[in-house]
Amino acid sequence: MNVFELRDDIVDEYARFVGSFVNPSTPDVAGRVSEHFESENLWPEPMLQLNPAFEPGKTIDQLVEEGILHEQCSRIFRVGKDKNAGGTVMRLHRHQEEAVRRAVTGANYVLTTGTGSGKSLAYIIPIVNHVLHNGTRRGIQAIVVYPMNALANSQHDELAKFLVPGFGEGNEPVSFAAYTGQEDQARREVLLRDPPDILLTNYVMLELILTRFREREFIGRSPALRFIVLDELHTYRGRQGSDVSMLVRRVRAAFNAHDSQCVGTSATLAGPGSYEEQQQKVSQVAGNIFGVPVSAEHVVGETVTSTTEELDLSEPAVREKLVREIGDYQAPASDSIDAPQTMEEYRANPLTNWIEWNFGLEREPESGRLRRRSARPIGGETGAARALADQTNIPEALCATVIRRHLLAGVKLFQITGQAAPFAFRLHQFISRGDTVYATPEPPGSRHVTVHGQQFVPGDRDRKLFPLLFCRECGQEYYPVHRLSRAGTALVEPRDPNDLSTDDHTRAGYLYISVVNPWPEGDEDILSRLPEEYLEPDGERRRVHKDRRKYVPQRLQVSPDGTIVQGGGTPGAYVDAPFRFCLNCGSSFNLRMRSDFSKLGSLATEGRSSATSVLSVAAVRRLRVQESLPREARKLLSFTDNRQDASLQTGHFNDFVQVGLLRGAVYSALARAAQEGLRHDAIVPAVFQALSLSSREYSQSPLAADELQDDAKRALRDVLGYFIYRDQERGWRLTAPNLEQVGLLKFDYVGLQSVTADESRWADCHEALRTAAPS
């Protein structure tokens, strides 16, 4: 699989989705928006990072021989165990070994290592070792707190891989259980009666254990609590960090575990500075959270190692060899890859060395200690391709292509040979919802337009920048403003679109400026631009209804700094909020619609849930066709930091899928009908047939009698009939407008052409109808 092409496809689809919400009608704004999307400001160059190799430590068996670990650990912690145990000897990373050695001394410690470095084993092995030495079934001996239930559940499965095989379920040498709030009542009762040795939970459930009367049985049955572990320690910041800090203190007091051992893990807790400075800082933070001292020497960092030699590009021969390896590439788009044919060739390739030392590793300036390099992009001003171009005098674009292809060559060799590449790599793609468009209140073409929020035009404080909103029907831009008077001067000031506050001195509204279709001055011209509901008969003429006169746009002229002037300013029109009708296209809205969100859009109106759904579907659709990936790998893992967000996204995604299935079935039904289309009484059966659902997919009793299945089918057809027409309702779903609005579906009416073409039907009607053309 080419992960770079996958990223480009996903970003392209998301760009089309985001770009569909705003279609500015004026060329200067439309051009600036297009430039904004093409520059990829909302989805910058992805950051690439290597998974480094870790310095090996001793095996579990060697630690057992030293007397560091219980002899049973040799049987438990093995690699590749099946249900009958077996497996091979497990070798720890050096930082894991260091953590285990600190743990057996009883010291509080923190492991600060990156993703994929085996942090969990750094506390699981000492906990299991402690239980083996002191005996099981003595109540809770270790509480491990995770910030997300997904992590707790994942760790539960990992524990099962070690503790169940070779012993059998129910006969584990160390008992363990998750207690996250997702258990049913029966499971809770079992755990309360017989607490496990290791309890995996979250801080909310740990709080409830201390406060709910029923859960306090855990405390009474657990006189031997030894370990309190906070996984992902860096997530506990601010008020939440204070809450968790107090919780840890209360846990020690409630369990009478004042001599308990506190352990923390974190991938990102360490800040800038040397390794020793980072240790000092982490020890202070961890001590504050745990309420007990954590010595700086007991802060364990990851111990990485290189798989290739460090290149000295100051040597001409080394540089020439690197240039030769990439010199055969003819052009950035060339498919002629002279890639290594074996993993041995790949490891020996100087480009492999260069990639590892530019994406994976670096030396700490103070000590020379090897450390993981921060992620960096391939392209761009700070990208690695520019550095390679500077070192080799090869064009930057070609260098970027060579880097990508060489990374993919390692993946391909792994798939062919089964041998591990020197490193694996990851892409980190950040996606922003963006800001909005800002412009000065000047005529289109001469105004300053930007997508970067600021108060004034850079270098010109006499030209003020206002945010722009766009009519969802025609794309005409509006300036959300507050109209007020200051020191006797009338002016308009930029307004947050969500701020509709109005008082005796300030009015919330919109400024309309158009050269192509300006708001008119003459009464008759104004009447022709107002919606019908604004007008009433006045003899042979029409006039504005008295209840609507206050909503008629007011002409004014405004200077670039927002001052309303009598002459010499930019002509425009002002209307009060809420937005009642578009001064350009005439689309009008019910007066009871107080929110303007459904009427006016901006660059940032796609919504977080919709954006997540679109990105998820785009990724999964492309993963499903990747034949080079095993089927179980063609999936998407999503993490969120709270249950409310997860629930919201789940409901939104279900709705997204339902709409997609329904519209797909409508399309399929219409495609079968071809040019003839479908009558209103035929659309529902046709869509039902297009869905091709089995009774198991919609019936609660799929094996019931045929007569009952017919009832279920009729019920489903009724539901489909409702949803088909509900989906066509205008404006209720902004992120997925109905198919007619976007030109994918056309409604026609039986007999309409005949009725409108029959002039005799209209002979006695009002002149407006009598003289109208059939169209």
Side-chain angles (χ1 to χ4, degrees):
M1 182 187 75
N2 188 325
V3 69
F4 301 105
E5 291 180 355
L6 175 68
R7 175 264 175 193
D8 292 342
D9 288 345
I10 293 172
V11 166
D12 287 346
E13 185 159 330
Y14 181 70
R16 291 195 298 273
F17 169 69
V18 175
S20 68
F21 291 105
V22 174
N23 185 25
S25 60
T26 50
D28 59 342
V29 177
R32 189 68 193 88
V33 170
S34 296
E35 290 174 8
H36 184 50
F37 286 144
E38 291 170 4
S39 67
E40 297 190 345
N41 288 328
L42 301 183
W43 35 86
E45 179 86 11
M47 307 293 282
L48 188 140
Q49 189 174 36
L50 303 187
N51 289 346
F54 298 106
E55 190 175 336
K58 292 191 174 181
T59 66
I60 293 291
D61 288 0
Q62 287 173 325
L63 294 179
V64 169
E65 291 173 3
E66 283 188 41
I68 300 295
L69 297 178
H70 191 279
E71 61 181 13
Q72 190 78 297
C73 288
S74 293
R75 183 181 173 190
I76 294 172
F77 295 105
R78 299 183 70 81
V79 179
K81 294 172 68 175
D82 58 22
K83 63 181 180 180
N84 296 316
T88 58
V89 175
M90 174 183 287
R91 181 174 293 278
L92 299 178
H93 302 317
R94 182 181 158 192
H95 55 254
Q96 292 174 321
E97 179 194 340
E98 290 178 3
V100 170
R101 291 185 181 277
R102 284 168 172 77
V104 297
T105 67
N108 305 307
Y109 66 97
V110 176
L111 191 72
T112 60
T113 63
T115 305
S117 59
K119 290 189 292 293
S120 59
L121 281 177
Y123 57 81
I124 290 299
I125 292 174
I127 290 173
V128 170
N129 178 64
H130 172 80
V131 175
L132 292 174
H133 276 294
N134 293 276
T136 186
R137 303 300 177 186
R138 302 173 60 218
I140 300 172
Q141 300 187 54
I143 297 175
V144 187
V145 182
Y146 296 91
M148 293 187 291
N149 286 348
L151 295 175
N153 296 333
S154 174
Q155 190 59 59
H156 181 275
D157 295 341
E158 287 299 311
L159 274 169
K161 291 179 183 178
F162 289 118
L163 292 169
V164 175
F167 301 98
E169 191 166 350
N171 297 312
E172 300 88 350
V174 176
S175 60
F176 60 96
Y179 195 72
T180 62
Q182 298 173 320
E183 300 78 23
D184 58 30
Q185 188 59 37
R187 177 59 178 161
R188 291 187 183 189
E189 293 294 335
V190 171
L191 294 177
L192 288 170
R193 289 195 304 269
D194 186 14
D197 298 313
I198 305 173
L199 188 72
L200 312 175
T201 187
N202 56 65
Y203 74 91
V204 174
M205 289 305 295
L206 185 54
E207 175 82 35
L208 294 177
I209 288 173
L210 299 185
T211 55
R212 289 202 298 211
F213 177 77
R214 189 76 176 94
E215 269 86 345
R216 289 187 69 85
E217 288 190 37
F218 276 132
I219 300 173
R221 298 176 185 270
S222 304
L225 178 64
R226 176 60 181 169
F227 287 90
I228 300 174
V229 181
L230 294 182
D231 193 57
E232 304 292 344
L233 200 62
H234 62 277
T235 61
Y236 303 119
R237 300 186 293 265
R239 188 185 70 179
Q240 186 184 47
S242 299
D243 291 344
V244 172
S245 176
M246 296 302 296
L247 179 62
V248 171
R249 291 160 170 79
R250 289 166 53 215
V251 167
R252 287 205 308 272
F255 281 84
N256 196 26
H258 300 287
D259 295 328
S260 61
Q261 198 170 350
C262 294
V263 182
T265 71
S266 174
T268 57
L269 195 64
S274 67
Y275 180 61
E276 288 76 15
E277 291 171 336
Q278 291 175 356
Q279 284 181 302
Q280 289 287 348
K281 183 63 176 177
V282 172
S283 70
Q284 294 172 11
V285 174
N288 290 337
I289 293 178
F290 287 125
V292 292
V294 179
S295 172
E297 64 181 294
H298 292 150
V299 176
V300 181
E302 65 185 9
T303 51
V304 297
T305 186
S306 63
T307 60
T308 62
E309 294 183 5
E310 189 173 2
L311 291 178
D312 183 5
L313 291 177
S314 63
E315 291 288 334
V318 175
R319 189 166 58 252
E320 289 173 9
K321 186 177 181 182
L322 180 62
V323 171
R324 281 198 306 271
E325 288 296 335
I326 60 179
D328 293 336
Y329 289 84
Q330 300 300 314
S334 172
D335 290 328
S336 57
I337 303 176
D338 191 17
Q341 301 300 307
T342 66
M343 196 61 77
E344 288 72 22
E345 289 181 24
Y346 189 83
R347 290 177 179 276
N349 192 300
L351 191 56
T352 304
N353 299 51
W354 189 92
I355 288 175
E356 182 176 32
W357 287 91
N358 281 270
F359 287 104
L361 299 173
E362 64 181 359
R363 293 195 180 276
E364 184 181 280
E366 296 84 359
S367 64
R369 173 190 171 96
L370 272 182
R371 65 186 182 190
R372 189 188 301 226
R373 181 185 283 273
S374 299
R376 66 188 300 194
I378 293 178
E381 294 184 3
T382 61
R386 180 163 297 186
L388 182 59
D390 292 340
Q391 293 165 349
T392 61
N393 292 322
I394 293 175
E396 183 180 334
L398 180 55
C399 287
T401 299
V402 170
I403 291 171
R404 294 188 186 98
R405 290 181 175 175
H406 197 71
L407 288 165
L408 293 174
V411 176
K412 187 174 181 180
L413 281 174
F414 166 70
Q415 293 172 337
I416 294 173
T417 66
Q419 295 177 292
F423 41 71
F425 68 94
R426 292 174 286 158
L427 288 186
H428 302 270
Q429 180 63 61
F430 296 92
I431 294 180
S432 168
R433 65 175 295 173
D435 200 346
T436 187
V437 185
Y438 298 83
T440 53
E442 298 175 288
S446 61
R447 60 187 168 187
H448 182 85
V449 181
T450 180
V451 292
H452 303 292
Q454 48 201 308
Q455 191 173 1
F456 301 100
V457 174
D460 189 351
R461 296 182 64 85
D462 292 329
R463 300 172 71 195
K464 190 172 289 186
L465 286 165
F466 292 69
L468 293 183
L469 298 177
F470 302 89
C471 172
R472 292 191 184 273
E473 296 298 327
C474 68
Q476 173 63 42
E477 71 273 5
Y478 289 87
Y479 299 79
V481 298
H482 272 128
R483 185 173 181 176
L484 65 154
S485 177
R486 182 179 295 140
T489 301
L491 69 154
V492 291
E493 289 192 336
R495 172 176 64 84
D496 185 314
N498 297 317
D499 180 9
L500 296 177
S501 59
T502 298
D503 54 36
D504 294 338
H505 307 288
T506 304
R507 293 158 60 188
Y510 298 95
L511 180 64
Y512 168 80
I513 295 176
S514 175
V515 174
V516 176
N517 193 20
W519 189 251
E521 295 185 51
D523 291 342
E524 287 300 322
D525 292 333
I526 291 175
L527 291 176
S528 68
R529 295 276 291 274
L530 292 173
E532 285 296 322
E533 61 267 23
Y534 276 56
L535 308 176
E536 64 179 357
D538 182 20
E540 294 295 323
R541 302 168 61 85
R542 294 185 300 172
R543 66 184 180 190
V544 180
H545 195 285
K546 63 178 182 179
D547 292 337
R548 301 293 180 108
R549 289 172 189 167
K550 58 184 177 181
Y551 303 142
V552 175
Q554 304 166 22
R555 281 183 58 84
L556 49 71
Q557 292 187 35
V558 62
S559 64
D561 66 355
T563 303
I564 298 173
V565 295
Q566 296 300 318
T570 301
Y574 170 84
V575 290
D576 283 327
F579 191 71
R580 293 173 175 85
F581 75 98
C582 178
L583 281 65
N584 181 58
C585 67
S587 297
S588 61
F589 306 96
N590 193 307
L591 292 181
R592 288 174 295 187
M593 294 177 62
R594 302 294 299 176
S595 172
D596 289 341
F597 179 76
S598 62
K599 312 166 193 175
L600 300 168
S602 72
L603 284 186
T605 57
E606 75 276 7
R608 180 175 59 178
S609 294
S610 296
T612 303
S613 294
V614 168
L615 290 167
S616 300
V617 170
V620 171
R621 279 176 46 222
R622 285 158 179 79
L623 286 172
R624 290 180 64 182
V625 298
Q626 296 293 333
E627 297 296 334
S628 62
L629 289 177
R631 291 189 62 85
E632 61 271 15
R634 302 176 203 174
K635 61 186 177 183
L636 178 73
L637 297 180
S638 176
F639 293 91
T640 184
D641 58 1
N642 65 72
R643 186 177 298 178
Q644 184 177 1
D645 274 358
S647 299
L648 175 67
Q649 185 60 47
T650 300
H652 186 280
F653 198 78
N654 285 339
D655 181 65
F656 184 88
V657 171
Q658 184 192 76
V659 171
L661 287 172
L662 182 67
R663 293 184 175 186
V666 171
Y667 167 80
S668 179
L670 290 172
R672 292 176 185 175
Q675 293 298 320
E676 295 182 6
L678 290 169
R679 289 174 58 97
H680 71 278
D681 54 355
I683 182 70
V684 174
V687 170
F688 178 84
Q689 182 181 3
L691 281 171
S692 301
L693 297 175
S694 69
S695 58
R696 293 182 181 275
E697 293 175 290
Y698 63 84
S699 174
Q700 288 187 335
S701 304
L703 302 179
D706 292 342
E707 294 84 353
L708 296 176
Q709 291 306 316
D710 290 340
D711 286 343
K713 288 180 181 179
R714 278 191 291 272
L716 178 59
R717 290 193 187 100
D718 289 342
V719 171
L720 284 175
Y722 169 74
F723 276 118
I724 289 170
Y725 285 99
R726 178 175 179 264
D727 191 52
Q728 299 312 315
E729 188 176 355
R730 192 181 187 91
W732 74 280
R733 187 192 288 114
L734 296 176
T735 55
N738 70 52
L739 297 177
E740 187 181 22
Q741 279 181 279
V742 294
L744 296 176
L745 187 67
K746 181 180 179 181
F747 280 85
D748 207 343
Y749 300 86
V750 176
L752 182 62
Q753 298 300 324
S754 300
V755 169
T756 54
D758 185 357
E759 296 295 343
S760 64
R761 292 179 178 271
W762 311 99
D764 298 329
C765 293
H766 188 278
E767 182 184 3
L769 293 174
R770 188 170 63 247
T771 59
S775 59

